Amino acid sequence: MLQLRNNFTPNAVPGCGPLIPPLSESSRPLRQQIFERVRAAGTIARVQVAKELGVSPASVTTGVSELIESGLLEEVAAPPRDGEAGRGRPAVALGVRANAYRVAGIKLSDREHTAVIVDFAGNLIANESMTRNPGPMELPQLLVVLAQLLDMVCEKAGITRSDVSALGLGLPGFIDSHTGRVLWSSVLAGRGLVLADVASEYLGLSVRVDNDANLVTLAELWFGAGRGLSDFAVVTIEHGVGMGVVINHRIYRGAQGLGMELGHTKVQLDGALCRCGQRGCLEAYVADYALAREATTALNWVGKDGQSINVLLESLYDHAKAGNTAARSIFRRAGRYLAVGLSNVVNLFDPSLIILSGERMRYDYLYAADTLAEMDNLSIVTGRPRPPIEIHAWGDMLWAQGAAALALSAVTESLLSGARDGAAREVAAQ
Ligand SMILES: [Zn+2]
């Protein structure tokens, strides 16, 4: 059982199990499809892989031999089925060779930076976090923070930086994930920096950068509720509002790797000012700084020096729970804007599931029954039921695990691509 998967509660993993529909992207090499299927299943027999991919057992055997030879997969004892215990040779299944590589995932955010080390099968080895004051960092400061946090989590894992094959890095903001360029982020001063290259050179290892909402989506796709689904959306509410969309089992990133900025879709003409500099963005009504802005006015809040936005929001939530009308109306208004955003997602993508993720989902007023009813009213009338909505109130550590999943996919893609042998040498040399 993968450690990362264990972080998802059973009720958050509907349909999770061996019945994963085959990937339909026949353009990808078969051995890559085999590897991904084994990784998703944890432990699986060759014959089952063939069945799920819709290919002959002989071609799976050939592909598996290559993957075992490359050190990516290994044979493991299959769990005995009922009535088979003790009869004949134990059945053999396939598993990812967990010790083959270790990767790191780091999530940078406005309140806290988090890091994880996972093995090649996605098992969590160590995690670490670092609190911080909000605001953009200059590049030199950001690089120092990355190095410090990476070394801290490596030490906890009992390894050194040179044992790490790749680092996945998640930031809020507009990230061109193809090139690793940060066009804008609330945690980095300046615009247009190719952070993947700069960080890679500074840290001495391969670095991939992506929007943090995409990384949560990747974690759901690889290890969570999305494992059995071909099309779903993850909407994140934290300091900002983000979204990741999976279409046909793959994250959709757009032509320039910039897609799915739900937080900056407009819900009000000439509306409230957003952090991005434009007006009327969804985020400017739903994100925590928007709630804090309203709370400061409505509750006559006088913030003390250094008092965090979290303290303010907790107080607002306590007031709402205690029946304070102003506090309740702030959450209800934010919930109505969220309903507008979610109905747009339904109307555009027709997802089979919407996952609401992020620490702010603890504030259940945001997705109260009237919010969901409003979403229904704003969705086009098709006669079919709206997609189910699941609430996953994961903390930053899950986002870091999503970043690690990005690093894992970077390593496996380079190992499984045409330049497999060269890439393997490159990774092994790191
Ligand atoms: Zn905006």
Side-chain angles (χ1 to χ4, degrees), residues 212-246:
D212 52 6
N214 275 346
L215 298 183
V216 179
T217 310
L218 201 57
E220 295 283 5
L221 175 66
W222 278 35
F223 309 115
R227 293 173 75 221
L229 302 176
S230 60
D231 304 274
F232 67 95
V234 178
V235 174
T236 62
I237 303 178
E238 294 264 310
H239 196 64
V241 175
M243 178 164 79
V245 166
V246 167

Side-chain angles (χ1 to χ4, degrees), residues 263-264 266 274-278 281 283:
H264 303 281
K266 305 301 179 276
C274 177
R275 290 184 303 166
C276 73
Q278 298 192 335
C281 298
E283 181 171 305

Side-chain angles (χ1 to χ4, degrees), residues 80-272:
R81 279 182 282 182
D82 289 348
E84 282 186 353
R87 274 201 288 135
R89 268 195 325 154
V92 171
L94 300 165
V96 170
R97 214 177 120 236
N99 293 328
Y101 302 97
R102 293 181 200 89
V103 301
I106 291 183
K107 188 213 174 188
L108 300 178
S109 81
D110 285 287
R111 298 177 309 279
E112 187 184 45
H113 303 313
T114 43
V116 296
I117 300 284
V118 305
D119 69 19
F120 200 44
N123 299 303
L124 183 66
I125 298 174
N127 58 38
E128 191 58 88
S129 65
M130 192 188 266
T131 52
R132 63 167 304 230
N133 294 323
M137 290 178 280
E138 297 293 335
L139 177 66
Q141 185 197 355
L142 184 141
L143 292 173
V144 169
V145 162
L146 276 184
Q148 275 177 352
L149 189 53
L150 183 60
D151 289 341
M152 277 161 62
V153 76
C154 280
E155 196 183 334
K156 216 165 168 184
I159 59 173
T160 63
R161 212 190 286 179
S162 60
D163 297 320
V164 176
S165 297
L167 166 68
L169 182 57
L171 295 86
F174 308 143
I175 319 287
D176 177 345
S177 57
H178 298 324
T179 61
R181 186 185 294 275
V182 179
L183 296 164
W184 173 82
S185 173
S186 59
V187 299
L188 177 62
R191 286 173 182 247
L193 186 82
V194 187
L195 184 59
D197 290 354
V198 178
S200 183
E201 192 171 324
Y202 186 82
L203 299 170
L205 79 168
S206 169
V207 177
R208 279 251 185 124
V209 180
D210 203 348
N211 173 285
D212 52 6
N214 275 346
L215 298 183
V216 179
T217 310
L218 201 57
E220 295 283 5
L221 175 66
W222 278 35
F223 309 115
R227 293 173 75 221
L229 302 176
S230 60
D231 304 274
F232 67 95
V234 178
V235 174
T236 62
I237 303 178
E238 294 264 310
H239 196 64
V241 175
M243 178 164 79
V245 166
V246 167
I247 296 174
N248 194 18
H249 301 277
R250 311 278 283 178
I251 287 188
Y252 178 78
R253 297 175 197 273
Q256 301 174 72
L258 281 170
M260 301 302 142
E261 284 297 341
L262 179 69
H264 303 281
T265 55
K266 305 301 179 276
V267 293
Q268 182 82 55
L269 202 59
D270 299 328

Side-chain angles (χ1 to χ4, degrees), residues 357-407:
S357 189
E359 215 181 322
R360 292 293 164 258
M361 298 322 297
R362 285 186 303 113
Y363 301 146
D364 45 10
Y365 288 97
L366 285 177
Y367 50 90
D370 47 359
T371 296
L372 300 184
E374 185 126 28
M375 183 193 109
D376 277 349
N377 291 339
L378 295 168
S379 301
I380 50 170
V381 178
T382 60
R384 285 177 296 176
R386 67 164 166 80
I389 293 187
E390 286 185 14
I391 316 298
H392 296 182
W394 316 119
D396 279 4
M397 209 50 80
L398 176 90
W399 300 52
Q401 288 170 350
L406 180 73

